[in-house]
């Protein structure tokens, strides 16, 4: 039975990369000589095969690593489903920006883009944002690639350059993003981001500043911890001030007046200086977003050489889990009416406190194996577990590492916690899933089982 179940899983995954994939077809109307390293539960490239997604075809190659689990999420667009908690957060942010920032003719200053395709080029996702060719964020083990030139976006920043190049200077981008990651209550391979960008001309930035007409946006100097080499200190400080004021108003709109905020210096390839905002919520400091002064090289390459700007990005799930006290990121994908009905409110700003569903008991199983001599990546194992176990898997913890003193082989032991969101799992059904994981790990990742 286990072997049969595994073969069915494998066949289902292979079918994803055949022409006219049933999974991709189902979501089109709704629209990021050695043994192969990645799990073959992912869509591995093969000559003549394509990935069909959102109405387009993408030839496979050695970078193709999409899984059935991830492909089933493309096109769901939770952030656009009315009364979904992620939609509520998006609408609250959008409403705030529409009301607070008006253009010259009484229209909203910021335009909103929440239906852009999650399929982007690697140039859009990395190169346009000045991310170096050898940067670890490009790794196949951390991203979902359709092929070497196309991928599921890892961040909404992938659209910055295109929108700037189109002549926009104030916009919000909202969408689903995709990253291979660990498995726990805070991480999921698909999540949702909201990105904002604002550019300023010399006149806009220095308007109302005493002797502002004599100030300049640009100079040629040296880069420091506080500014870029092409920016004047005056311009940098004013952009930074506007950014922090904008974000302070936003989070106080979301969380209430009197919220304590602090700023932490950090690094992003596409902003400098860069900051993370932390808020003190119920006595705990929580990081809620990243932001900074946009790298002028990026702005210049998009054709806005006479402007300077800021950008920020935040995770909708992160905010919703804090605001609504949602304990598990898997809940956002639930279709359980007991979850969804709690967010059907007449006013998007209405306070909601999630009332937990009955917490069904967990079933815990361990899996241990010797790693192959090469080409093992933890994210391959996590993807394999997600693909077979689906949302029955609450978390996976690496609980032990061991190196044999004589053979120097390395062993990993993982603890997999299974818990259904809506009913009690039986030991028998979990045992079948867990045995399928064991067999798949041996067959597809080349590990040597210790079970």
């Amino acid at each position: 039975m286990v072997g049969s179940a595994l073969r069915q899983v494998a066949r289902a995954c292979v079918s994803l990369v055949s022409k006219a994939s049933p999974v991709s077809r189902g979501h089109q109307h709704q629209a990021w000589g050695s043994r192969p390293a990645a799990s073959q539960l992912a869509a591995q490239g093969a000559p003549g095969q394509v990935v069909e997604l959102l109405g387009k075809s993408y030839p496979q190659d050695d970078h193709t690593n999409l899984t059935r689990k991830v492909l089933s999420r493309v096109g769901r667009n939770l952030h656009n489903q009315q009364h979904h908690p992620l939609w509520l957060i998006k609408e609250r942010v959008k409403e705030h920006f529409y009301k607070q920032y008006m253009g010259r003719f009484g229209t909203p200053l910021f335009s909103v883009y929440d239906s852009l395709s999650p399929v982007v080029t690697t140039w859009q996702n990395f190169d346009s944002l000045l991310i170096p060719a050898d940067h670890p964020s490009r790794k196949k083990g951390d991203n979902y690639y359709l092929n070497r030139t196309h991928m599921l976006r890892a961040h909404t920043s992938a659209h910055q350059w295109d929108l700037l190049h189109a002549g926009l200077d104030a916009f919000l981008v909202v969408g689903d993003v995709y990253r291979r990651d660990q498995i726990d209550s805070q991480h999921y391979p698909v999540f949702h981001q909201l990105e904002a960008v604002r550019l300023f001309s010399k006149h806009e930035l220095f308007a109302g500043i005493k002797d502002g007409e004599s100030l300049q946006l640009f100079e040629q100097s040296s880069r420091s911890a506080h500014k870029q080499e092409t920016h004047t200190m005056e311009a940098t400080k004013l952009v930074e001030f506007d950014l922090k004021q904008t974000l302070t108003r936003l989070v106080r709109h979301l969380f209430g007046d009197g919220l304590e905020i602090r700023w932490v210096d950090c690094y992003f390839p596409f902003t400098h200086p860069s900051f993370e905002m932390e808020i003190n919520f119920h006595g705990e400091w929580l990081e809620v977003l990243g932001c900074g002064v946009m790298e002028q090289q990026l702005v210049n390459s998009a054709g806005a050489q006479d402007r300077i700007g800021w950008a920020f990005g935040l995770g909708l799930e992160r905010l919703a889990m804090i605001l609504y006290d949602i304990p598990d990121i898997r809940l956002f994908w639930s279709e359980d009416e007991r979850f969804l009905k709690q967010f059907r409110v007449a006013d998007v700003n209405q306070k909601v406190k999630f009332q937990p569903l009955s917490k069904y008991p967990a079933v815990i199983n361990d899996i241990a194996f010797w790693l192959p001599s090469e080409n093992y990546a933890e994210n391959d194992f996590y993807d394999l577990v997600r693909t077979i176990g689906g949302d029955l898997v609450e978390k996976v913890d690496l609980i032990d590492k061991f190196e044999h003193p004589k053979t120097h082989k390395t062993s990993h032991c993982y603890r997999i916690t299974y818990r259904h969101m809506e009913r009690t799992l039986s030991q028998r059904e979990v045992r079948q899933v867990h045995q399928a994981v064991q067999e798949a790990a041996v067959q597809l990742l080349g590990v040597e089982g210790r079970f």
Side-chain angles (χ1 to χ4, degrees):
M1 178 179 288
V2 172
S4 173
L6 181 61
R7 283 191 292 275
Q8 289 175 6
V9 170
R11 282 199 297 271
C13 296
V14 169
S15 74
L16 291 172
V17 301
S18 63
K19 195 168 175 60
S21 156
V23 171
S24 60
R25 236 190 353 239
H27 290 291
Q28 281 178 18
H29 69 285
Q30 297 186 58
W32 339 160
S34 58
R35 180 186 56 79
S39 161
Q40 292 175 26
L41 288 173
Q44 294 299 303
Q49 288 190 317
V50 297
V51 178
E52 290 201 358
L53 190 60
L54 302 176
K56 294 185 178 181
S57 299
Y58 302 90
Q60 294 182 53
D61 61 23
D62 61 344
H63 256 54
T64 308
N65 67 346
L66 296 170
T67 66
R68 175 172 58 92
K69 176 75 172 178
V70 166
L71 281 173
S72 73
R73 298 312 195 205
V74 178
R76 288 284 299 275
N77 298 326
L78 300 183
H79 61 289
N80 288 336
Q81 293 183 18
Q82 193 169 14
H83 298 300
H84 190 279
L86 301 182
W87 176 85
L88 289 179
I89 299 288
K90 182 195 76 171
E91 290 299 307
R92 291 188 68 186
V93 174
K94 188 169 76 172
E95 178 186 84
H96 172 76
F97 273 85
Y98 278 177
K99 288 182 176 179
Q100 289 290 320
Y101 307 99
M102 305 301 293
R104 286 181 296 171
F105 305 107
T107 55
L109 177 65
F110 286 82
S111 50
V112 177
Y113 298 87
D114 58 9
S115 298
L116 299 175
S117 172
V119 178
V120 298
T121 65
T122 52
W123 187 89
Q124 288 173 300
N125 199 80
F126 299 119
D127 301 271
S128 74
L129 296 166
L130 312 178
I131 297 174
D134 60 350
H135 197 275
S137 66
R138 292 179 180 253
K139 287 191 304 184
K140 182 178 173 181
D142 292 340
N143 299 284
Y144 289 104
Y145 285 93
L146 282 77
N147 52 39
R148 281 188 172 270
T149 59
H150 289 82
M151 63 187 297
L152 295 176
R153 63 188 168 210
H155 42 208
T156 47
S157 306
H159 302 287
Q160 268 189 25
W161 190 94
D162 292 314
L163 294 173
L164 291 173
H165 191 63
L168 299 174
D169 55 15
F171 54 83
L172 304 177
V173 180
V174 193
D176 43 335
V177 299
Y178 299 79
R179 296 182 194 170
R180 303 180 78 199
D181 212 333
Q182 64 202 78
I183 302 177
D184 59 32
S185 63
Q186 304 289 321
H187 294 87
Y188 202 79
V190 191
F191 58 104
H192 298 75
Q193 284 187 337
L194 184 146
E195 177 107 2
V197 166
R198 184 173 185 186
L199 299 185
F200 299 88
S201 66
K202 175 183 173 181
H203 171 75
E204 289 168 333
L205 189 63
F206 296 131
I209 303 295
K210 185 178 179 181
D211 299 324
E213 64 276 1
S214 66
L215 299 176
Q216 301 296 322
L217 295 178
F218 306 112
E219 65 179 12
Q220 287 301 322
S221 58
S222 58
R223 177 172 290 237
S224 71
H226 305 291
K227 75 175 200 71
Q228 298 173 39
E229 60 274 19
T230 56
H231 293 162
T232 64
M233 184 61 77
E234 294 84 359
T236 298
K237 288 302 179 185
L238 283 171
V239 171
E240 181 184 324
F241 177 79
D242 186 87
L243 169 63
K244 290 180 175 179
Q245 285 290 99
T246 298
L247 290 171
T248 297
R249 284 192 291 264
L250 172 62
V251 297
R252 286 184 174 155
H253 167 69
L254 295 173
F255 289 91
D257 292 334
L259 183 72
E260 191 177 358
I261 294 168
R262 69 185 184 190
W263 302 93
V264 179
D265 293 340
C266 65
Y267 167 78
F268 301 114
F270 34 85
T271 55
H272 181 77
S274 302
F275 313 95
E276 288 178 341
M277 174 196 267
E278 296 183 350
I279 62 171
N280 191 333
F281 192 67
H282 296 328
E284 183 180 0
W285 284 102
L286 303 172
E287 183 266 312
V288 291
L289 58 86
C291 61
V293 178
M294 295 182 72
E295 281 285 354
Q296 196 61 37
Q297 182 182 341
L298 188 165
V299 177
N300 290 350
S301 70
Q305 298 92 331
D306 61 339
R307 294 175 181 254
I308 184 174
W310 53 247
F312 74 80
L314 55 84
L316 294 183
E317 280 89 347
R318 175 73 168 156
L319 283 183
M321 292 177 83
I322 297 170
L323 271 170
Y324 302 139
D325 202 19
I326 297 173
D328 194 311
I329 197 169
R330 293 177 298 163
L331 280 165
F332 292 108
W333 297 92
S334 174
E335 296 181 357
D336 189 326
E337 185 63 17
R338 293 173 300 167
F339 173 74
L340 296 173
K341 71 180 181 181
Q342 297 187 40
F343 301 95
R344 295 195 185 108
V345 292
D347 179 357
V348 296
N349 292 304
Q350 182 176 327
K351 288 189 175 181
V352 177
K353 181 174 174 58
F354 171 64
Q355 299 300 314
L357 312 180
S358 299
K359 190 155 188 178
Y360 295 95
V363 179
I364 296 173
N365 283 266
D366 293 349
I367 178 172
F369 46 74
W370 297 106
L371 305 188
S373 58
E374 59 180 10
N375 291 338
Y376 176 80
E378 282 189 37
N379 281 345
D380 287 340
F381 177 66
Y382 295 146
D383 264 356
L384 182 149
V385 173
R386 282 195 190 277
T387 299
I388 295 176
D391 285 350
L392 296 183
V393 180
E394 180 174 88
K395 63 177 179 176
V396 178
D397 296 312
L398 176 60
I399 60 172
D400 185 58
K401 288 183 180 181
F402 168 72
E403 182 175 324
H404 195 285
K406 293 183 178 179
T407 66
H408 299 293
K409 293 172 66 175
T410 300
S411 169
H412 279 188
C413 181
Y414 296 90
R415 177 155 294 163
I416 304 178
T417 302
Y418 299 90
R419 191 196 310 266
H420 201 290
M421 307 295 286
E422 299 165 16
R423 64 178 177 84
T424 298
L425 289 171
S426 70
Q427 287 282 357
R428 180 180 178 182
E429 61 186 323
V430 170
R431 190 180 308 116
Q432 290 180 347
V433 173
H434 194 72
Q435 287 177 345
V437 169
Q438 291 174 330
E439 189 173 341
V442 171
Q443 292 186 4
L444 305 178
L445 299 184
V447 304
E448 181 184 341
R450 300 182 66 192
F451 34 82

